[in-house]
Amino acid sequence: MSNPVSDLGRQTLGFVSALGNITRFGSDVVRNLFRPPPRIARTIEAIYDLGFLSLVLIATSGFAVGAVLGLQGYTTLVRFGAEQSLGAVVGLSLIRELGPVLTGLLVTGRAGSSVAAEIGAMVATEQLDGLRMMSVNPIHFVVLPKAVAMTLVMPLLSAIFIVCAIYGGYIVGVELLGLDGGAYIASLEDSVDFREDIVGSVLKAWIFGMIIGLISTHRGYTSAPNAAGVSRATTSTVVIGSVTILFSDYFITALWGV
Amino acid sequence: MASAQAATDGDEAHVVCESIHLGFGGRDVFVDLNCEMVAGHVTVLMGTSGTGKSTLLRLIGGLQRPDAGSIRVAGSELSGLAEVGLAEVRTRLGMLFQNGALLDSMTIFDNVALPLREHTKLARDQIAAEVRDRLDAVGLEDVEHLLPGELSGGMLRRAALARAIIESPEVLLCDEPFSGLDPPNVERIEGLLTRLNRERGLTVIVTSHHMASSLRMGHRIILLKDKAAVSGTPRELAMSEDSEIHDFIGADGAAYLKTLSDAEAAS
Ligand SMILES: Nc1ncnc2c1ncn2[C@@H]1O[C@H](COP(=O)(O)OP(=O)(O)OP(=O)(O)O)[C@@H](O)[C@H]1O
Ligand SMILES: [Mg+2]
């Protein structure tokens, strides 16, 4: 029955309609952003859940990644006698790429999946319908605070990841491999440009935060109202979220040179 | 007294469903269903499990769209309304979901207070007083600070009922308010619904498997069968010749007719 061409056609149509759905959902979320009342308490609660509770994960992962970078960078640089530049190598790759991207992937797995599961469970237990019956818009009440929180916490988490990773690289390079601490920091300071690198890094993390916030809430919001629907929403958040982050990272880098 | 008045002068329909067709994935739930719920009446929706009682309530609440047909709630045709228009109509409705549908991240107090916080400018202590009043009416005490997950099914449904009536709606949709309740609580909830109907002229639409209380409190009963609706007064249904209806109503119908004739004999 199925042939490859019609399969491809169907998949393309499916992809385009999915893209249309999430665009409509996104514009609905944005429109609600400007409607009163501001959901400040609920947003702060979401920041705590998604951001604060991700801190340990982000900090330890950052430290580990930095330590590995320190080790790998050192063994490569020492061949060229350039081990004094370890700080620059570790710092630049973290700030420009690895910090925002790895934080994005970790946050997708840790916070994005939990957002999708929570909203999916609310769909399954008719909590969103309950809100509708009280004339409370579930996008405004449930989705918006989580999407906004995700967008706000991502740059902060990414910055924490980067700081912990630079520290991890320092521990390995300076304490373990005996590099000069002053040189590590100096090469880092010399090579990092504030506008180009730092602002770009924050911008990237911020865009990833929007992507995760939108995908995770959308997957939960549109999930089938049963346990299987919740689990599918969670899985597809992680899969779609991760792939979207990696691809958009390429495009941001290629277009803006960040 | 007030209920007799409502029944005579208010024969206007609050909710009208006309030629409703609805199917899920090729499986028909309703085929040409027609029914109406009179303003100021208690209407009981009955039918065996899976006949579409909850679905009919969802249609009336605008949570589900029919494949064809028209639903009018307080004069508004739902099919032409977008989400904003539906929100407007829903300010007149209160709904008790079969499983409560309370927000499980908020305490019972916050759940019941939510509609007031969203739609009114009442002061904190006024809201607290209203919430306590409603929780009291459904027979719940010392649960305000608990989360929905910490309550039993029957308690949950009563808390949800408190939330459904906190804004004094015109129409109350109740999905199985009695299931899982002990006899004293069935009596309490039945009394509360009857009182709201008599004193405030609230139109109550309630689904129930609880035959005795349905016959007692319903002005009209709508029985869902064969994908459509049969309606009548409790007395008409209890005396129905139709063997299916007879089987469905069972011994409670006979008992109900007996209390009616006893009452007539006494007066
Ligand atoms: N979202 C849905 N998708 C598919 N089928 C559905 C959906 N909602 C309801 N149905 C079907 O519609 C029919 C009516 O369901 P509904 O929940 O309204 O029954 P009910 O009369 O309330 O039953 P109960 O007394 O058990 O609560 C069932 O056959 C159910 O399978
Ligand atoms: Mg039901």
Side-chain angles (χ1 to χ4, degrees):
Chain A
M1 277 309 279
S2 82
N3 71 59
V5 178
S6 74
D7 270 2
L8 185 68
R10 192 165 332 113
Q11 277 170 12
T12 310
L13 282 182
F15 178 74
V16 171
S17 87
L19 210 61
N21 283 340
I22 198 161
T23 310
R24 211 165 330 123
F25 180 79
S27 64
D28 208 1
V29 174
V30 172
R31 235 176 302 128
N32 274 287
L33 193 55
F34 303 105
R35 283 203 189 119
R39 303 282 180 195
I40 295 171
R42 293 185 61 77
T43 307
I44 291 173
E45 208 178 304
I47 289 176
Y48 177 82
D49 282 349
L50 306 178
F52 190 76
L53 298 182
S54 303
L55 274 180
V56 174
L57 171 73
I58 294 298
T60 48
S61 306
F63 183 82
V65 167
V68 172
L69 278 179
L71 205 53
Q72 291 280 15
Y74 182 83
T75 45
T76 311
L77 291 171
V78 87
R79 277 193 256 163
F80 307 103
E83 66 269 25
Q84 299 303 330
S85 318
L86 184 65
V89 169
V90 169
L92 276 185
S93 52
L94 276 168
I95 293 171
R96 296 178 67 119
E97 286 303 330
L98 293 176
V101 171
L102 290 181
T103 308
L105 296 179
L106 288 167
V107 168
T108 306
R110 156 69 183 73
S113 61
S114 89
V115 165
E118 188 183 341
I119 298 181
M122 294 179 81
V123 171
T125 53
E126 298 183 302
Q127 292 178 48
L128 298 190
D129 283 335
L131 286 171
R132 291 191 183 96
M133 286 309 295
M134 293 185 279
S135 303
V136 177
N137 181 346
I139 297 229
H140 195 259
F141 192 81
V142 176
V143 169
L144 191 62
K146 295 193 192 301
V148 168
M150 199 72 96
T151 312
L152 293 179
V153 300
M154 254 306 285
L156 288 173
L157 290 176
S158 170
I160 289 164
F161 183 97
I162 292 168
V163 169
C164 291
I166 290 174
Y167 179 65
Y170 182 92
I171 293 287
V172 169
V174 177
E175 306 288 332
L176 251 53
L177 301 172
L179 278 180
D180 178 43
Y184 182 90
I185 299 292
S187 82
L188 176 68
E189 278 179 352
D190 285 348
S191 61
V192 174
D193 176 73
F194 177 78
R195 282 192 54 173
E196 190 126 313
D197 299 320
I198 308 273
V199 174
S201 173
V202 170
L203 209 64
K204 232 180 210 183
W206 188 62
I207 292 173
F208 293 164
M210 280 198 280
I211 289 174
I212 304 167
L214 199 61
I215 289 177
S216 59
T217 51
H218 177 256
R219 303 275 55 179
Y221 193 78
T222 54
S223 68
N226 49 48
V230 176
S231 99
R232 243 174 299 149
T234 315
T235 311
S236 66
T237 296
V238 175
V239 173
I240 299 177
S242 308
V243 172
T244 312
I245 285 177
L246 294 172
F247 271 93
S248 55
D249 181 44
Y250 174 81
F251 286 111
I252 297 169
T253 308
L255 293 176
W256 291 351
V258 198
Chain B
M1 164 75 194
S3 113
Q5 194 182 21
T8 49
D9 72 7
D11 249 29
E12 103 205 54
H14 219 150
V15 176
V16 184
C17 304
E18 261 170 22
S19 326
I20 302 293
H21 289 257
L22 178 68
F24 291 106
R27 229 159 26 93
D28 284 328
V29 179
F30 298 136
V31 176
D32 195 25
L33 173 118
N34 292 282
C35 62
E36 57 178 57
M37 290 81 175
V38 175
H41 270 188
V42 176
T43 306
V44 185
L45 287 177
M46 305 194 84
T48 44
S49 184
T51 44
K53 301 180 296 294
S54 302
T55 305
L56 185 54
L57 291 185
R58 291 176 60 83
L59 284 168
I60 295 170
L63 295 172
Q64 175 94 51
R65 304 243 185 216
D67 297 336
S70 126
I71 298 163
R72 283 194 303 281
V73 177
S76 306
E77 168 65 55
L78 299 189
S79 67
L81 296 178
E83 206 48 37
V84 181
L86 285 176
E88 176 69 37
V89 172
R90 287 174 185 146
T91 56
R92 300 150 169 263
L93 306 179
M95 180 144 172
L96 167 64
F97 286 82
Q98 195 158 357
N99 294 311
L102 294 173
L103 294 164
D104 52 21
S105 57
M106 295 171 134
T107 62
I108 297 299
F109 182 94
D110 288 338
N111 262 288
V112 179
L114 179 70
L116 293 179
R117 290 188 179 146
E118 288 291 315
H119 302 137
T120 69
K121 294 204 160 34
L122 291 182
R124 193 180 279 261
D125 50 339
Q126 282 172 301
I127 289 182
E130 294 275 322
V131 171
R132 300 234 162 75
D133 176 67
R134 297 312 193 283
L135 286 175
D136 213 38
V138 296
L140 287 175
E141 47 191 44
D142 293 335
V143 298
E144 287 168 23
H145 56 283
L146 297 180
L147 291 171
E150 296 169 316
L151 262 57
S152 75
M155 290 163 90
L156 265 184
R157 221 165 305 105
R158 283 185 285 153
L161 179 60
R163 183 177 77 171
I165 59 175
I166 191 127
E167 277 193 296
S168 310
E170 294 168 28
V171 182
L172 180 63
L173 308 168
C174 283
D175 205 352
E176 311 274 358
F178 306 124
S179 77
L181 294 189
D182 50 288
N185 270 312
V186 169
E187 210 167 292
R188 180 200 296 273
I189 299 303
E190 184 187 330
L192 171 65
L193 293 178
T194 310
R195 202 165 64 241
L196 289 169
N197 167 255
R198 292 221 179 111
E199 291 171 5
R200 309 224 186 118
L202 179 72
T203 304
V204 181
I205 303 171
V206 49
T207 75
S208 172
H209 285 119
H210 203 271
M211 193 59 64
S213 69
S214 304
L215 292 167
R216 268 200 305 270
M217 68 188 289
H219 293 98
R220 278 190 99 70
I221 292 185
I222 294 178
L223 188 63
L224 296 179
K225 72 188 205 37
D226 305 329
K227 306 185 168 56
V230 181
S231 70
T233 61
R235 186 193 199 117
E236 282 163 5
L237 288 186
M239 295 200 305
S240 169
E241 304 281 302
D242 188 316
S243 66
E244 245 181 279
I245 298 178
H246 199 268
D247 287 351
F248 185 78
I249 293 189
D252 287 310
Y256 172 73
L257 288 176
K258 185 162 183 313
T259 53
L260 278 190
S261 60
D262 287 354
E264 267 162 36
S267 68

